[in-house]
Amino acid sequence: ATLGVIFKYGRFTVSRHGDRIQMTYGLLQRTQVSIPVRRIQAVRMVEGILRQPLGFFTIQLENAGYGTQSAEKAILWPLARPKELMFILQEFLPEFNLEALLETTLQNTLHTSLERLPQIARRRYALRSFFPVFLVSLPVFIWLPWGNFAVILPFLGVLWGLWKFHDAGWILKENMMVLRCRSFARTTVIVPSGSIQSFAVGSNPFQRRADLVSFSLELASKSHFGLADIPVSGGIKLIGWLRKDKRKRLRGGYNEDF
């Protein structure tokens, strides 16, 4: 896998020419990608399980496709450290460079600056990861040789759910949202409010008993992001932020293309 990454992204270069960003990479086969800045919907920082302990992440661009071209994610920077993110965005995407936002996003203070999930959601995240793993490991435990070792898998599922709970959160700054969540890799997304195509806040009966809601948003690139089990007050705050920003843009309060 490491050799594959080296061959694919070796001799990586990125440059900006006017309103376009151009990336060129590849050791054996050179690939060139050119993206109009106005079609960049979000910036995504992805930390894989192996990269996160080493302090590295990949910077991806959510690019809205046009015409017959499908939406795609492009690599802006294949391997970066948190301290380098501010320079990269200032150099190539100043449209996303809110100084106050990046100061909290880049450093380890992001974890304490996020709007956190309430503690009541901790158990829900643990159980949500426990039951699928339990259902898969049960037949393994019963029928397969050495299946006794499968008894540990549900507990690993619980730890995974707690890890997802620990990493989840969001920040709102002016017309930008920073959202952090985890599936396998930890993903941090910077989304301008103008890039959000649809936004939904909802709850099921179990969430309503605990005064929790879930929210999800969709970009023009067809990517979906969201968090489960945020407090009702957080859902109201997110809806108010979107409505306030929409009114500002209708009045010409922002001059960006987003």
Side-chain angles (χ1 to χ4, degrees), residues 20 43 55 101 204 240:
R20 302 185 74 89
V43 177
L101 175 63
N204 57 44

Side-chain angles (χ1 to χ4, degrees), residues 88-103:
I88 293 171
L89 294 186
Q90 285 176 338
E91 184 74 13
F92 301 107
L93 279 176
E95 293 84 355
F96 282 81
N97 183 24
L98 290 177
E99 195 75 20
L101 175 63
L102 291 179
E103 286 177 358

Side-chain angles (χ1 to χ4, degrees), residues 25-157:
Y25 52 87
L27 288 182
L28 301 180
Q29 179 179 349
R30 298 293 285 172
T31 301
Q32 187 176 88
V33 179
S34 182
I35 301 176
V37 173
R38 68 180 182 276
R39 296 193 179 275
I40 297 175
Q41 301 291 294
V43 177
R44 180 199 295 236
M45 287 80 76
V46 180
E47 302 169 82
I49 297 176
L50 298 180
R51 291 183 178 186
Q52 184 180 345
L54 300 176
F56 290 103
F57 56 84
T58 299
I59 305 176
Q60 299 176 349
L61 302 178
E62 290 287 341
N63 173 35
Y66 56 93
T68 58
Q69 177 181 342
S70 61
E72 60 179 345
K73 288 184 287 292
I75 300 294
L76 176 66
W77 209 272
L79 205 62
R81 291 185 180 273
K83 64 182 180 181
E84 299 169 334
L85 179 59
M86 182 179 291
F87 163 77
I88 293 171
L89 294 186
Q90 285 176 338
E91 184 74 13
F92 301 107
L93 279 176
E95 293 84 355
F96 282 81
N97 183 24
L98 290 177
E99 195 75 20
L101 175 63
L102 291 179
E103 286 177 358
T104 58
T105 303
L106 297 183
Q107 309 303 326
N108 293 329
T109 55
L110 172 63
H111 183 70
T112 57
S113 302
L114 289 171
E115 294 275 354
R116 311 297 302 173
L117 300 181
Q119 285 299 314
I120 194 174
R122 181 186 179 95
R123 182 179 63 180
R124 298 176 60 86
Y125 270 74
L127 293 176
R128 194 178 289 124
S129 297
F130 169 81
F131 284 113
V133 179
F134 174 76
L135 294 176
V136 172
S137 61
L138 186 60
V140 176
F141 176 77
I142 295 174
W143 289 306
L144 294 184
W146 306 100
N148 291 342
F149 291 103
V151 73
I152 198 175
L153 296 180
F155 297 99
L156 294 178

Side-chain angles (χ1 to χ4, degrees), residues 183-200:
S183 53
F184 287 102
R186 184 170 72 174
T187 301
T188 306
V189 189
I190 303 177
V191 184
S193 58
S195 297
I196 298 176
Q197 298 295 301
S198 64
F199 185 88

